[in-house]
Amino acid sequence: MSLDRTISWRGLDPLTLEHCHIVASGRDTRIRSAIVTPGYGLYYRIKLDDAGHVRTVKVERTDGKVLELFSDGAGNWSDDRAEPLPGLRGCIDIDLWPTPLTNSLPIWRSDWVDGVPQRFAMAWIDGDEMSVRRDEQIYTRLDDNHVRCQNTEGFERVLELDTDGLVVNYPGLFERAG
């Protein structure tokens, strides 16, 4: 994937504004973004390897809280003290709240057949709590511009995507700004 793009989203519940920049080359993908929420500001950086696997993620809030994670790209995670995180074993992607950007990670790296669901183990990062846990999610590509996202707890949305696999509309939660 080759991409050099700036994009913005509006969060609808709660009201947020995100400004994100993505640079992808054949070597890696680097993502930097800032989000303003009603309760805090949040800055995150994500680095993917050439296979689209998350290798590093750093989430910083304006109140000084920081969460930094490292992956070997094969589903083994550690924190910023190099302590293993066995609860995340097998997770290749992350899902960071409050942004729709991380929904693109499994979309970018997977081969898709319309109507065929794929299951992903995600390292789900809660920016409100600055915590991380495992979350099983199912993505089903419906057509070139729509993917159904579900989790095992009953959450389900059909995301509208652009030609780069980035969210245009995440019903009830996010929409493209600008």
Side-chain angles (χ1 to χ4, degrees):
M1 177 173 79
S2 180
L3 188 64
D4 187 348
R5 185 165 175 196
T6 298
I7 191 163
S8 297
W9 290 280
R10 259 188 304 278
L12 305 174
D13 185 23
L15 294 176
T16 63
L17 184 59
E18 177 173 3
H19 187 80
C20 179
H21 190 79
I22 306 158
V23 177
S25 65
R27 187 183 62 224
D28 64 15
T29 300
R30 295 171 189 255
I31 301 162
R32 295 174 186 258
S33 194
I35 304 171
V36 177
T37 78
Y40 56 85
L42 184 141
Y43 175 75
Y44 69 87
R45 293 182 310 202
I46 303 169
K47 183 179 176 188
L48 311 176
D49 63 20
D50 62 345
H53 298 160
V54 175
R55 299 306 298 266
T56 62
V57 59
K58 186 171 186 178
V59 181
E60 299 179 74
R61 288 190 1 181
T62 50
D63 62 7
K65 294 179 181 175
V66 177
L67 179 67
E68 193 166 12
L69 304 171
F70 301 89
S71 173
D72 63 0
N76 298 300
W77 292 81
S78 61
D79 64 16
D80 61 340
R81 296 178 317 264
E83 293 292 326
L85 300 170
L88 301 180
R89 187 166 290 120
C91 297
I92 301 298
D93 301 298
I94 63 164
D95 188 358
L96 172 61
W97 171 259
T99 178
L101 178 276
T102 50
N103 293 99
S104 296
L105 304 182
I107 292 168
W108 288 341
R109 70 174 179 77
S110 299
D111 293 324
W112 294 96
V113 175
D114 289 355
V116 177
Q118 294 189 46
R119 189 177 197 100
F120 300 96
M122 311 288 269
W124 194 83
I125 300 169
D126 184 338
D128 294 339
E129 301 295 325
M130 293 300 279
S131 62
V132 61
R133 66 174 171 80
R134 179 186 196 86
D135 188 46
E136 301 292 327
Q137 299 183 7
I138 302 162
Y139 284 45
T140 306
R141 186 177 116 146
L142 304 176
D143 60 38
D144 288 345
N145 298 103
H146 296 90
V147 170
R148 179 185 302 112
C149 295
Q150 303 166 276
N151 71 15
T152 56
E153 298 165 3
F155 178 87
E156 180 177 331
R157 293 289 194 283
V158 174
L159 309 183
E160 178 186 351
L161 308 173
D162 65 16
T163 57
D164 290 324
L166 294 162
V167 171
V168 173
N169 184 28
Y170 193 132
L173 292 176
F174 302 99
E175 65 186 13
R176 186 75 55 87

